Amino acid sequence: MPTDGRTVDPLLGFADALPAAASADASGPAPMLHLLTFALDREEFGIPVTQVREVIRVNGITRVPQVPVHVRGVTNLRGRILAVMEIRTRLGLTEAVVTPASRIVVVEVRGRVLGLLVDRVSQVTKVPAESVAPPPEEVVTAETDFLTGVARWESRLIMLLD
Protein backbone atom coordinates (compact mmCIF):
# COMPACT_ATOMS: atom_id res chain seq x y z
CA MET A 1 0.00 0.00 0.00
CA PRO A 2 1.41 3.44 -0.89
CA THR A 3 2.28 5.79 1.94
CA ASP A 4 -0.39 8.31 0.78
CA GLY A 5 -3.22 5.90 1.66
CA ARG A 6 -4.16 4.80 -1.92
CA THR A 7 -4.44 1.11 -2.68
CA VAL A 8 -2.43 -0.29 -5.56
CA ASP A 9 -3.74 -2.85 -8.03
CA PRO A 10 -1.55 -6.00 -7.60
CA LEU A 11 -0.91 -6.16 -11.35
CA LEU A 12 0.25 -2.55 -11.46
CA GLY A 13 2.44 -3.16 -8.42
CA PHE A 14 4.02 -6.11 -10.20
CA ALA A 15 4.59 -4.04 -13.35
CA ASP A 16 6.16 -1.25 -11.28
CA ALA A 17 8.53 -3.75 -9.66
CA LEU A 18 9.78 -5.21 -12.98
CA PRO A 19 12.37 -2.52 -13.81
CA ALA A 20 13.92 -2.89 -10.36
CA ALA A 21 14.01 -6.69 -10.70
CA ALA A 22 15.55 -6.45 -14.19
CA SER A 23 18.34 -4.20 -12.98
CA ALA A 24 18.99 -6.53 -10.04
CA ASP A 25 19.36 -9.45 -12.51
CA ALA A 26 21.79 -7.51 -14.74
CA SER A 27 24.65 -9.49 -13.24
CA GLY A 28 22.82 -12.75 -14.07
CA PRO A 29 24.02 -15.49 -16.38
CA ALA A 30 26.71 -14.74 -18.94
CA PRO A 31 25.56 -14.04 -22.49
CA MET A 32 25.40 -17.07 -24.77
CA LEU A 33 26.12 -17.33 -28.48
CA HIS A 34 23.74 -19.54 -30.46
CA LEU A 35 25.69 -21.23 -33.24
CA LEU A 36 24.79 -23.61 -35.99
CA THR A 37 27.71 -26.02 -35.98
CA PHE A 38 28.81 -28.06 -38.96
CA ALA A 39 31.72 -30.23 -40.05
CA LEU A 40 34.21 -29.76 -42.83
CA ASP A 41 36.55 -32.72 -42.99
CA ARG A 42 37.28 -33.46 -39.30
CA GLU A 43 37.00 -29.87 -38.08
CA GLU A 44 33.99 -28.19 -36.48
CA PHE A 45 32.83 -24.73 -37.49
CA GLY A 46 30.04 -22.48 -36.31
CA ILE A 47 28.04 -19.55 -37.62
CA PRO A 48 25.54 -17.44 -35.67
CA VAL A 49 22.01 -18.82 -36.03
CA THR A 50 20.83 -15.27 -36.69
CA GLN A 51 22.50 -15.53 -40.12
CA VAL A 52 20.95 -18.93 -40.94
CA ARG A 53 17.70 -19.03 -42.88
CA GLU A 54 17.43 -22.80 -43.30
CA VAL A 55 19.33 -26.02 -43.89
CA ILE A 56 18.49 -28.05 -46.99
CA ARG A 57 19.58 -31.33 -48.56
CA VAL A 58 21.85 -31.14 -51.57
CA ASN A 59 19.50 -31.67 -54.48
CA GLY A 60 21.62 -30.94 -57.52
CA ILE A 61 24.12 -28.14 -58.03
CA THR A 62 24.68 -26.78 -61.52
CA ARG A 63 28.25 -25.72 -62.24
CA VAL A 64 28.77 -22.23 -63.61
CA PRO A 65 31.72 -21.68 -65.95
CA GLN A 66 34.44 -19.13 -65.21
CA VAL A 67 33.59 -18.58 -61.53
CA PRO A 68 36.09 -18.65 -58.66
CA VAL A 69 36.98 -22.13 -57.40
CA HIS A 70 35.06 -21.61 -54.14
CA VAL A 71 31.77 -21.08 -56.00
CA ARG A 72 30.37 -24.59 -56.43
CA GLY A 73 27.50 -23.44 -58.66
CA VAL A 74 23.81 -22.67 -58.35
CA THR A 75 20.77 -24.59 -57.20
CA ASN A 76 17.02 -24.07 -57.38
CA LEU A 77 15.48 -23.21 -54.02
CA ARG A 78 11.70 -23.14 -54.46
CA GLY A 79 11.96 -21.20 -57.73
CA ARG A 80 14.81 -18.95 -56.63
CA ILE A 81 18.33 -19.39 -58.01
CA LEU A 82 20.73 -19.72 -55.08
CA ALA A 83 24.52 -19.43 -55.38
CA VAL A 84 26.26 -22.27 -53.53
CA MET A 85 29.70 -21.60 -52.06
CA GLU A 86 32.22 -24.38 -51.55
CA ILE A 87 33.53 -23.55 -48.08
CA ARG A 88 36.09 -26.36 -48.15
CA THR A 89 38.02 -24.84 -51.07
CA ARG A 90 37.66 -21.35 -49.56
CA LEU A 91 39.44 -22.73 -46.50
CA GLY A 92 42.16 -24.43 -48.56
CA LEU A 93 40.76 -27.96 -48.19
CA THR A 94 40.06 -30.37 -51.04
CA GLU A 95 36.82 -30.06 -52.99
CA ALA A 96 33.81 -31.60 -51.25
CA VAL A 97 32.41 -34.93 -52.30
CA VAL A 98 28.64 -34.72 -51.89
CA THR A 99 27.34 -37.52 -49.64
CA PRO A 100 23.91 -38.22 -48.13
CA ALA A 101 25.06 -36.27 -45.03
CA SER A 102 26.04 -33.16 -47.05
CA ARG A 103 23.86 -30.10 -46.57
CA ILE A 104 23.47 -26.60 -47.92
CA VAL A 105 23.19 -24.02 -45.15
CA VAL A 106 21.22 -21.07 -46.52
CA VAL A 107 22.54 -17.89 -44.92
CA GLU A 108 21.98 -14.17 -45.21
CA VAL A 109 25.25 -12.26 -45.25
CA ARG A 110 25.58 -8.56 -45.95
CA GLY A 111 22.14 -8.42 -47.53
CA ARG A 112 22.75 -11.43 -49.79
CA VAL A 113 21.26 -14.90 -49.53
CA LEU A 114 23.58 -17.74 -50.47
CA GLY A 115 24.16 -21.40 -49.77
CA LEU A 116 27.16 -22.89 -48.00
CA LEU A 117 27.99 -26.48 -48.92
CA VAL A 118 29.06 -28.35 -45.78
CA ASP A 119 29.96 -31.99 -45.11
CA ARG A 120 27.32 -32.35 -42.39
CA VAL A 121 25.37 -30.19 -39.97
CA SER A 122 25.91 -31.05 -36.32
CA GLN A 123 23.49 -29.05 -34.15
CA VAL A 124 22.58 -25.69 -32.73
CA THR A 125 24.95 -25.11 -29.85
CA LYS A 126 24.85 -22.53 -27.07
CA VAL A 127 28.34 -21.33 -26.27
CA PRO A 128 29.19 -18.85 -23.51
CA ALA A 129 30.46 -15.63 -25.10
CA GLU A 130 33.45 -15.59 -22.74
CA SER A 131 34.61 -18.96 -24.16
CA VAL A 132 35.36 -17.30 -27.51
CA ALA A 133 38.92 -16.16 -28.14
CA PRO A 134 40.09 -14.12 -31.12
CA PRO A 135 41.88 -16.14 -33.77
CA PRO A 136 45.63 -16.45 -33.13
CA GLU A 137 47.65 -13.70 -34.81
CA GLU A 138 49.65 -16.35 -36.66
CA VAL A 139 46.58 -17.44 -38.65
CA VAL A 140 45.09 -14.03 -39.40
CA THR A 141 45.72 -12.92 -42.97
CA ALA A 142 43.74 -11.17 -45.70
CA GLU A 143 42.73 -14.64 -46.93
CA THR A 144 41.40 -15.71 -43.53
CA ASP A 145 39.31 -12.63 -42.75
CA PHE A 146 36.24 -14.88 -42.45
CA LEU A 147 37.57 -16.45 -39.22
CA THR A 148 36.19 -14.37 -36.35
CA GLY A 149 37.19 -16.45 -33.36
CA VAL A 150 37.63 -19.83 -31.76
CA ALA A 151 35.24 -21.12 -29.10
CA ARG A 152 36.46 -23.58 -26.49
CA TRP A 153 33.37 -25.52 -25.53
CA GLU A 154 33.34 -28.75 -23.56
CA SER A 155 36.23 -30.78 -25.02
CA ARG A 156 36.18 -29.26 -28.51
CA LEU A 157 37.22 -26.23 -30.49
CA ILE A 158 34.68 -24.55 -32.76
CA MET A 159 36.01 -22.14 -35.37
CA LEU A 160 33.62 -19.24 -35.80
CA LEU A 161 33.04 -17.98 -39.33
CA ASP A 162 31.62 -14.72 -40.60
Side-chain angles (χ1 to χ4, degrees):
M1 177 183 267
T3 56
D4 62 3
R6 293 179 292 133
T7 59
V8 175
D9 182 310
L11 181 60
L12 295 176
F14 174 76
D16 290 340
L18 282 177
S23 63
D25 281 346
S27 63
M32 301 291 276
L33 299 175
H34 293 103
L35 305 171
L36 176 73
T37 58
F38 56 90
L40 297 174
D41 207 1
R42 292 180 301 249
E43 305 301 329
E44 190 170 18
F45 295 85
I47 55 177
V49 293
T50 55
Q51 292 181 323
V52 177
R53 285 199 167 179
E54 62 185 301
V55 177
I56 61 173
R57 292 183 187 273
V58 180
N59 202 12
I61 299 173
T62 303
R63 296 275 186 174
V64 178
Q66 305 300 315
V67 295
V69 68
H70 60 273
V71 177
R72 182 68 177 242
V74 294
T75 191
N76 183 358
L77 179 64
R78 294 183 297 280
R80 179 181 183 167
I81 302 301
L82 179 71
V84 178
M85 310 310 280
E86 170 89 46
I87 296 184
R88 290 176 60 97
T89 55
R90 178 72 171 99
L91 297 173
L93 301 171
T94 60
E95 186 175 298
V97 174
V98 176
T99 69
S102 299
R103 296 291 183 267
I104 296 174
V105 179
V106 181
V107 297
E108 185 171 347
V109 179
R110 298 181 189 121
R112 293 186 181 145
V113 176
L114 55 97
L116 306 175
L117 180 61
V118 302
D119 294 349
R120 71 183 173 285
V121 170
S122 304
Q123 63 189 19
V124 173
T125 304
K126 290 186 207 176
V127 176
E130 70 263 5
S131 73
V132 176
E137 289 181 25
E138 296 80 15
V139 301
V140 176
T141 67
E143 290 80 32
T144 60
D145 62 345
F146 50 81
L147 184 62
T148 60
V150 179
R152 291 177 301 262
W153 182 238
E154 296 174 347
S155 64
R156 50 194 222 243
L157 293 177
I158 303 170
M159 289 178 272
L160 306 182
L161 300 179
D162 177 13

mmCIF file of all heavy atoms in Angstrom, residues 129-149:
data_model
loop_
_atom_site.group_PDB
_atom_site.id
_atom_site.type_symbol
_atom_site.label_atom_id
_atom_site.label_comp_id
_atom_site.label_asym_id
_atom_site.label_seq_id
_atom_site.Cartn_x
_atom_site.Cartn_y
_atom_site.Cartn_z
ATOM 1 N N ALA A 129 29.691 -16.630 -24.348
ATOM 2 C CA ALA A 129 30.459 -15.626 -25.095
ATOM 3 C C ALA A 129 31.887 -15.521 -24.577
ATOM 4 O O ALA A 129 32.812 -15.300 -25.360
ATOM 5 C CB ALA A 129 29.757 -14.273 -25.024
ATOM 6 N N GLU A 130 32.092 -15.727 -23.274
ATOM 7 C CA GLU A 130 33.446 -15.594 -22.739
ATOM 8 C C GLU A 130 34.345 -16.771 -23.136
ATOM 9 O O GLU A 130 35.556 -16.710 -22.942
ATOM 10 C CB GLU A 130 33.440 -15.419 -21.218
ATOM 11 C CG GLU A 130 33.037 -16.662 -20.449
ATOM 12 C CD GLU A 130 31.570 -16.663 -20.044
ATOM 13 O OE1 GLU A 130 30.830 -15.758 -20.429
ATOM 14 O OE2 GLU A 130 31.175 -17.606 -19.330
ATOM 15 N N SER A 131 33.785 -17.843 -23.720
ATOM 16 C CA SER A 131 34.610 -18.963 -24.159
ATOM 17 C C SER A 131 35.216 -18.725 -25.543
ATOM 18 O O SER A 131 35.995 -19.542 -26.026
ATOM 19 C CB SER A 131 33.793 -20.258 -24.181
ATOM 20 O OG SER A 131 32.892 -20.245 -25.269
ATOM 21 N N VAL A 132 34.868 -17.608 -26.177
ATOM 22 C CA VAL A 132 35.365 -17.302 -27.510
ATOM 23 C C VAL A 132 36.622 -16.445 -27.411
ATOM 24 O O VAL A 132 36.635 -15.416 -26.739
ATOM 25 C CB VAL A 132 34.295 -16.564 -28.344
ATOM 26 C CG1 VAL A 132 34.852 -16.156 -29.700
ATOM 27 C CG2 VAL A 132 33.052 -17.430 -28.508
ATOM 28 N N ALA A 133 37.664 -16.904 -28.079
ATOM 29 C CA ALA A 133 38.924 -16.160 -28.141
ATOM 30 C C ALA A 133 39.130 -15.689 -29.576
ATOM 31 O O ALA A 133 38.678 -16.341 -30.517
ATOM 32 C CB ALA A 133 40.083 -17.053 -27.717
ATOM 33 N N PRO A 134 39.798 -14.556 -29.749
ATOM 34 C CA PRO A 134 40.088 -14.125 -31.122
ATOM 35 C C PRO A 134 41.012 -15.146 -31.783
ATOM 36 O O PRO A 134 41.736 -15.875 -31.100
ATOM 37 C CB PRO A 134 40.780 -12.780 -30.939
ATOM 38 C CG PRO A 134 41.188 -12.713 -29.523
ATOM 39 C CD PRO A 134 40.336 -13.662 -28.746
ATOM 40 N N PRO A 135 40.983 -15.203 -33.117
ATOM 41 C CA PRO A 135 41.884 -16.144 -33.774
ATOM 42 C C PRO A 135 43.333 -15.772 -33.483
ATOM 43 O O PRO A 135 43.660 -14.591 -33.344
ATOM 44 C CB PRO A 135 41.560 -15.995 -35.256
ATOM 45 C CG PRO A 135 40.791 -14.740 -35.391
ATOM 46 C CD PRO A 135 40.200 -14.421 -34.060
ATOM 47 N N PRO A 136 44.213 -16.759 -33.383
ATOM 48 C CA PRO A 136 45.625 -16.449 -33.127
ATOM 49 C C PRO A 136 46.195 -15.560 -34.231
ATOM 50 O O PRO A 136 45.852 -15.707 -35.401
ATOM 51 C CB PRO A 136 46.301 -17.826 -33.140
ATOM 52 C CG PRO A 136 45.205 -18.801 -32.907
ATOM 53 C CD PRO A 136 43.965 -18.185 -33.463
ATOM 54 N N GLU A 137 47.054 -14.634 -33.849
ATOM 55 C CA GLU A 137 47.647 -13.703 -34.812
ATOM 56 C C GLU A 137 48.359 -14.423 -35.940
ATOM 57 O O GLU A 137 48.411 -13.931 -37.063
ATOM 58 C CB GLU A 137 48.626 -12.767 -34.103
ATOM 59 C CG GLU A 137 47.954 -11.758 -33.206
ATOM 60 C CD GLU A 137 48.961 -10.830 -32.534
ATOM 61 O OE1 GLU A 137 50.065 -10.646 -33.090
ATOM 62 O OE2 GLU A 137 48.635 -10.304 -31.475
ATOM 63 N N GLU A 138 48.900 -15.597 -35.659
ATOM 64 C CA GLU A 138 49.648 -16.350 -36.657
ATOM 65 C C GLU A 138 48.769 -16.844 -37.807
ATOM 66 O O GLU A 138 49.279 -17.166 -38.870
ATOM 67 C CB GLU A 138 50.350 -17.556 -36.023
ATOM 68 C CG GLU A 138 51.414 -17.193 -35.013
ATOM 69 C CD GLU A 138 50.842 -16.828 -33.637
ATOM 70 O OE1 GLU A 138 49.660 -17.120 -33.361
ATOM 71 O OE2 GLU A 138 51.578 -16.230 -32.846
ATOM 72 N N VAL A 139 47.463 -16.930 -37.593
ATOM 73 C CA VAL A 139 46.580 -17.438 -38.653
ATOM 74 C C VAL A 139 45.750 -16.343 -39.306
ATOM 75 O O VAL A 139 45.001 -16.613 -40.230
ATOM 76 C CB VAL A 139 45.650 -18.554 -38.131
ATOM 77 C CG1 VAL A 139 46.447 -19.721 -37.579
ATOM 78 C CG2 VAL A 139 44.669 -18.026 -37.110
ATOM 79 N N VAL A 140 45.880 -15.124 -38.849
ATOM 80 C CA VAL A 140 45.087 -14.030 -39.402
ATOM 81 C C VAL A 140 45.824 -13.419 -40.591
ATOM 82 O O VAL A 140 46.933 -12.901 -40.444
ATOM 83 C CB VAL A 140 44.800 -12.954 -38.331
ATOM 84 C CG1 VAL A 140 44.060 -11.786 -38.945
ATOM 85 C CG2 VAL A 140 44.003 -13.546 -37.191
ATOM 86 N N THR A 141 45.192 -13.527 -41.752
ATOM 87 C CA THR A 141 45.722 -12.917 -42.971
ATOM 88 C C THR A 141 44.544 -12.351 -43.747
ATOM 89 O O THR A 141 43.378 -12.523 -43.353
ATOM 90 C CB THR A 141 46.439 -13.957 -43.862
ATOM 91 O OG1 THR A 141 45.464 -14.890 -44.354
ATOM 92 C CG2 THR A 141 47.543 -14.680 -43.128
ATOM 93 N N ALA A 142 44.815 -11.692 -44.857
ATOM 94 C CA ALA A 142 43.741 -11.170 -45.704
ATOM 95 C C ALA A 142 42.883 -12.316 -46.233
ATOM 96 O O ALA A 142 41.683 -12.148 -46.448
ATOM 97 C CB ALA A 142 44.325 -10.365 -46.857
ATOM 98 N N GLU A 143 43.478 -13.500 -46.414
ATOM 99 C CA GLU A 143 42.731 -14.641 -46.930
ATOM 100 C C GLU A 143 41.890 -15.334 -45.859
ATOM 101 O O GLU A 143 41.037 -16.142 -46.172
ATOM 102 C CB GLU A 143 43.691 -15.672 -47.563
ATOM 103 C CG GLU A 143 44.322 -15.210 -48.856
ATOM 104 C CD GLU A 143 45.511 -14.269 -48.631
ATOM 105 O OE1 GLU A 143 46.218 -14.421 -47.616
ATOM 106 O OE2 GLU A 143 45.697 -13.372 -49.460
ATOM 107 N N THR A 144 42.148 -15.056 -44.607
ATOM 108 C CA THR A 144 41.399 -15.705 -43.531
ATOM 109 C C THR A 144 40.539 -14.707 -42.765
ATOM 110 O O THR A 144 40.245 -14.922 -41.595
ATOM 111 C CB THR A 144 42.354 -16.420 -42.545
ATOM 112 O OG1 THR A 144 43.232 -15.449 -41.973
ATOM 113 C CG2 THR A 144 43.135 -17.522 -43.219
ATOM 114 N N ASP A 145 40.106 -13.653 -43.435
ATOM 115 C CA ASP A 145 39.311 -12.632 -42.751
ATOM 116 C C ASP A 145 37.932 -13.135 -42.332
ATOM 117 O O ASP A 145 37.243 -12.487 -41.566
ATOM 118 C CB ASP A 145 39.177 -11.380 -43.614
ATOM 119 C CG ASP A 145 38.461 -11.652 -44.927
ATOM 120 O OD1 ASP A 145 38.322 -12.826 -45.307
ATOM 121 O OD2 ASP A 145 38.041 -10.675 -45.574
ATOM 122 N N PHE A 146 37.534 -14.300 -42.797
ATOM 123 C CA PHE A 146 36.243 -14.882 -42.445
ATOM 124 C C PHE A 146 36.272 -15.553 -41.079
ATOM 125 O O PHE A 146 35.237 -15.833 -40.506
ATOM 126 C CB PHE A 146 35.813 -15.899 -43.505
ATOM 127 C CG PHE A 146 36.897 -16.882 -43.827
ATOM 128 C CD1 PHE A 146 37.117 -17.978 -43.014
ATOM 129 C CD2 PHE A 146 37.711 -16.689 -44.918
ATOM 130 C CE1 PHE A 146 38.136 -18.876 -43.289
ATOM 131 C CE2 PHE A 146 38.723 -17.585 -45.208
ATOM 132 C CZ PHE A 146 38.942 -18.682 -44.392
ATOM 133 N N LEU A 147 37.443 -15.820 -40.522
ATOM 134 C CA LEU A 147 37.574 -16.453 -39.217
ATOM 135 C C LEU A 147 37.481 -15.372 -38.139
ATOM 136 O O LEU A 147 38.339 -14.501 -38.055
ATOM 137 C CB LEU A 147 38.907 -17.198 -39.118
ATOM 138 C CG LEU A 147 39.157 -18.002 -37.854
ATOM 139 C CD1 LEU A 147 38.123 -19.108 -37.707
ATOM 140 C CD2 LEU A 147 40.551 -18.591 -37.881
ATOM 141 N N THR A 148 36.414 -15.420 -37.332
ATOM 142 C CA THR A 148 36.190 -14.365 -36.347
ATOM 143 C C THR A 148 36.613 -14.744 -34.940
ATOM 144 O O THR A 148 36.758 -13.882 -34.088
ATOM 145 C CB THR A 148 34.713 -13.946 -36.317
ATOM 146 O OG1 THR A 148 33.915 -15.080 -35.967
ATOM 147 C CG2 THR A 148 34.279 -13.402 -37.658
ATOM 148 N N GLY A 149 36.792 -16.034 -34.684
ATOM 149 C CA GLY A 149 37.191 -16.452 -33.357
ATOM 150 C C GLY A 149 37.192 -17.960 -33.226
ATOM 151 O O GLY A 149 36.809 -18.680 -34.151
#
